[in-house]
Amino acid sequence: MNIPTIDRVEAILVDLPTIRAHQLAMTVMQRQTLVIVRLHCSDDIEGIGEATTIGGLSYGEESPEGIKLAIDTYLAPALAGQSADNIHAAMQRLESIARGNRFAKSALETALLDAQGKRLGVSVATLLGGAVRTHLPVLWTLASGDTARDIDEAESFLQSRRHNTFKLKIGRRAIADDVAHVSRIKQALGDRARVTVDVNQAWNEADAAGAIARLEAAGIDLIEQPIPRTNLAGMARLAARFVVPIMADEAVCSPEDALDIARLGAADVLALKIAKSGGLYGMTRTAAVGDAAGMALYGGTMLEGSVGSVASAHGFATLPRLAWGTELFGPLLLKDDIVVNPPRYADFDMHLPSGPGLGLEIDEHKLAFYRRDRAATSRTPS
Ligand code: MUC
Ligand code: MG
């Protein structure tokens, strides 16, 4: 039997508008840039993957443009001619020629898994050992910047049974304003919804201690990354001081990070993301360390579109325990999509697509329309 090899890899920047402004501690998003990877193999099978970050360089150390440059210049040439059906060997080769660049590597690993799944006629979750759930709870982030609008948004999603947990992005305004905003939303929703907050590292430890005391009293269910990711000792003190669980997000990118957090008791919950983990296998290894240490797990997002969100869902579906559900709502924040069959959301859950690989098909017309390297004049609306 001929062993399929990797022929060619494309990395495509895709700019999609968001349905509304999305305000986080470090940036306000009006659009999202996806880096879509298409990996072509010698047996005519194509695998797709996605590397997406938030707000250019404002969230993480890789920008969409940098990810494309790293893939085009270094990672794709290193993969050319390699066996397409040995994903670990391909990823090890990338490790040996490039440090870091986890988002770029994650997109390539996803594309290899998608191709291999299509080749074998099985889903990515099956390749990873099998899904233990076919649908995943999905929260929604309220981040319009306006309290009344956020309450309206939450009410409409509760009514349509799309979401019953809401994450509030705070850390941008004065603490007193943030606490008042969060408390008003929790008061309006009451026991009908769970409310969590994500501070994205914006507070120092002393401010965090004061704010968390007030958020706990207001009935908030979870506090995500209140202080800088490097201050694990501070996170441990906060986790010991409060009953409300503290979640690590930016602080946990690898199994080694999870081990440090476990040793120090620096979090009660870990936010897992395939991009920051360098791929699905890195995410599941990180999850295993957290799980073994007795920490609860949560399926995080970098606000990816359908490709990255569905890839994440395949991985999260295989985890034995996922106590805090997921936030894989990225496709719903975007005005349009570049796949023909976006994931289905119903009854507070995201439903895993069926079909080999990721179970997704690129919409060529939409991709051609939204890709950045298309001259504006040659774009034709659908
Ligand atoms: C983050 O830090 O968790 C996830 C949801 C959202 O609105 O932003 C992201 C990033
Ligand atoms: Mg976060």
Side-chain angles (χ1 to χ4, degrees):
M1 195 186 81
N2 272 348
I3 294 175
T5 53
I6 301 165
D7 273 354
R8 192 165 55 85
V9 179
E10 289 174 86
I12 305 159
L13 294 174
V14 177
D15 294 311
L16 284 167
T18 55
I19 54 169
R20 57 151 167 74
H22 197 65
Q23 300 205 8
L24 301 87
M26 59 288 172
T27 192
V28 179
M29 296 167 62
Q30 303 279 358
R31 66 169 192 183
Q32 180 59 305
T33 301
L34 323 178
V35 186
I36 297 295
V37 161
R38 307 187 81 160
L39 181 135
H40 305 272
C41 304
S42 58
D43 54 0
D44 284 338
I45 290 180
E46 180 195 68
I48 54 174
E50 177 181 338
T52 290
T53 188
I54 292 171
L57 280 171
S58 68
Y59 188 103
E61 289 166 0
E62 289 168 76
S63 66
E65 298 76 14
I67 291 167
K68 176 171 165 52
L69 184 88
I71 292 175
D72 289 351
T73 314
Y74 299 101
L75 305 178
L79 286 179
Q82 298 298 306
S83 161
D85 70 356
N86 188 336
I87 295 155
H88 285 159
M91 296 311 291
Q92 210 165 18
R93 183 169 169 81
L94 294 185
E95 274 315 298
S96 73
I97 64 125
R99 291 182 194 276
N101 288 277
R102 293 164 184 270
F103 285 57
K105 287 174 184 169
S106 172
L108 291 166
E109 192 198 77
T110 299
L112 284 162
L113 283 163
D114 183 42
Q116 183 72 344
K118 288 170 177 163
R119 189 171 291 122
L120 300 178
V122 298
S123 73
V124 167
T126 300
L127 282 181
L128 297 175
V132 295
R133 51 187 81 77
T134 55
H135 43 97
L136 301 158
V138 177
L139 63 66
W140 177 255
T141 295
L142 300 171
S144 73
D146 180 83
T147 311
R149 181 166 177 190
D150 283 355
I151 293 171
D152 285 350
E153 227 175 75
E155 289 291 1
S156 83
F157 291 144
L158 275 171
Q159 217 198 331
S160 60
R161 295 178 60 79
R162 211 180 75 178
H163 308 280
N164 57 9
T165 300
F166 300 97
K167 160 160 149 174
L168 277 48
K169 302 298 282 193
I170 58 174
R172 194 173 176 76
R173 296 180 280 203
I175 287 181
D177 295 339
D178 271 345
V179 171
H181 166 76
V182 173
S183 304
R184 270 185 61 200
I185 292 176
K186 178 62 194 169
Q187 217 168 15
L189 303 178
D191 291 338
R192 294 177 298 139
R194 273 213 292 210
V195 175
T196 70
V197 298
D198 188 359
V199 191
N200 284 118
Q201 318 184 69
W203 294 336
N204 63 40
E205 188 182 342
D207 285 347
I212 294 170
R214 291 157 72 190
L215 293 170
E216 190 173 65
I220 299 314
D221 290 285
L222 182 73
I223 314 287
E224 181 174 341
Q225 199 64 57
I227 61 176
R229 67 187 171 84
T230 46
N231 188 2
L232 290 187
M235 282 175 65
R237 285 187 287 272
L238 294 172
R241 185 165 174 170
F242 296 104
V243 173
V244 59
I246 305 291
M247 180 155 79
D249 180 6
E250 286 88 333
V252 59
C253 298
S254 64
E256 293 80 6
D257 290 342
L259 197 57
D260 284 343
I261 289 171
R263 279 199 189 110
L264 286 167
D268 306 287
V269 188
L270 297 183
L272 306 163
K273 298 182 183 177
I274 64 170
K276 68 181 180 179
S277 308
L280 282 109
Y281 287 112
M283 183 280 289
T284 56
R285 289 175 64 224
T286 306
V289 175
D291 202 24
M295 285 185 277
L297 303 177
Y298 173 73
T301 181
M302 286 305 299
L303 300 177
E304 291 103 335
S306 286
V307 177
S309 299
V310 166
S312 304
H314 278 279
F316 298 151
T318 69
L319 300 178
R321 280 169 287 277
L322 191 64
W324 284 86
T326 80
E327 56 181 17
L328 293 176
F329 66 86
L332 300 169
L333 187 65
L334 304 176
K335 267 201 184 135
D336 209 346
D337 211 317
I338 52 114
V339 298
V340 174
N341 51 342
R344 189 169 71 83
Y345 293 87
D347 285 325
F348 311 115
D349 285 347
M350 177 204 217
H351 293 256
L352 218 60
S354 55
L358 294 173
L360 295 175
E361 191 191 329
I362 293 283
D363 182 327
E364 299 295 348
H365 187 76
K366 292 275 182 67
L367 180 65
F369 182 67
Y370 288 110
R371 57 189 293 161
R372 190 181 290 180
D373 57 9
R374 261 300 158 97
T377 46
S378 68
R379 287 182 171 184
T380 49
S382 52

